[in-house]
Amino acid sequence: MLICHCNIITEREIEQTIVDLLDQDPWQLIVPAKVYHTMQKRGRCCGCFPNVVETIIRVTENYHTRSEASGADIVSHLDRVRGLRVQYGSRTHERRKADHRAA
């Protein structure tokens, strides 16, 4: 599936980059800018970043589940991100109010 239309980057390429980063350091913080920098690309319109964040969360959780780390070491990244979204303004999306209608 195509994630970034500006750079023509597929989900599989992003997943492989995330796994490569996790192989270097399993507990590092991975953000979309780091993924794009590793791929020698840059975010242009950045509309794909929410999808990249979801991919990072999914791949990181799967990576840690498959690893030999104990259950106490594994933190649910998705729950942390949801908590941050609530804390830092999930009421707006792209500077629009929740009741915004395009048409």
Side-chain angles (χ1 to χ4, degrees):
M1 182 168 91
L2 195 63
I3 296 289
C4 179
H5 297 282
C6 298
N7 290 305
I8 315 298
I9 300 174
T10 63
E11 185 175 23
R12 182 169 288 153
E13 291 171 316
I14 291 174
E15 289 172 350
Q16 185 58 49
T17 303
I18 295 167
V19 169
D20 291 343
L21 288 169
L22 289 170
D23 285 340
Q24 294 170 9
D25 179 10
W27 299 106
Q28 68 178 310
L29 177 64
I30 300 175
V31 295
K34 189 174 210 170
V35 172
Y36 276 63
H37 180 74
T38 303
M39 297 175 75
Q40 298 179 346
K41 307 276 185 181
R42 65 179 181 87
R44 294 182 185 183
C45 75
C46 299
C48 59
F49 277 20
N51 290 334
V52 174
V53 169
E54 295 298 325
T55 303
I56 291 170
I57 293 166
R58 180 176 43 80
V59 171
T60 303
E61 285 182 336
N62 291 338
Y63 182 89
H64 288 294
T65 301
R66 289 189 316 255
S67 72
E68 297 177 9
S70 67
D73 292 335
I74 298 173
V75 177
S76 174
H77 297 283
L78 188 55
D79 290 339
R80 288 179 60 195
V81 169
R82 284 184 183 138
L84 291 173
R85 285 182 182 163
V86 169
Q87 181 181 355
Y88 292 110
S90 62
R91 292 179 295 268
T92 60
H93 178 66
E94 296 179 358
R95 300 185 190 257
R96 297 184 190 123
K97 295 180 183 174
D99 62 347
H100 173 76
R101 293 180 54 153

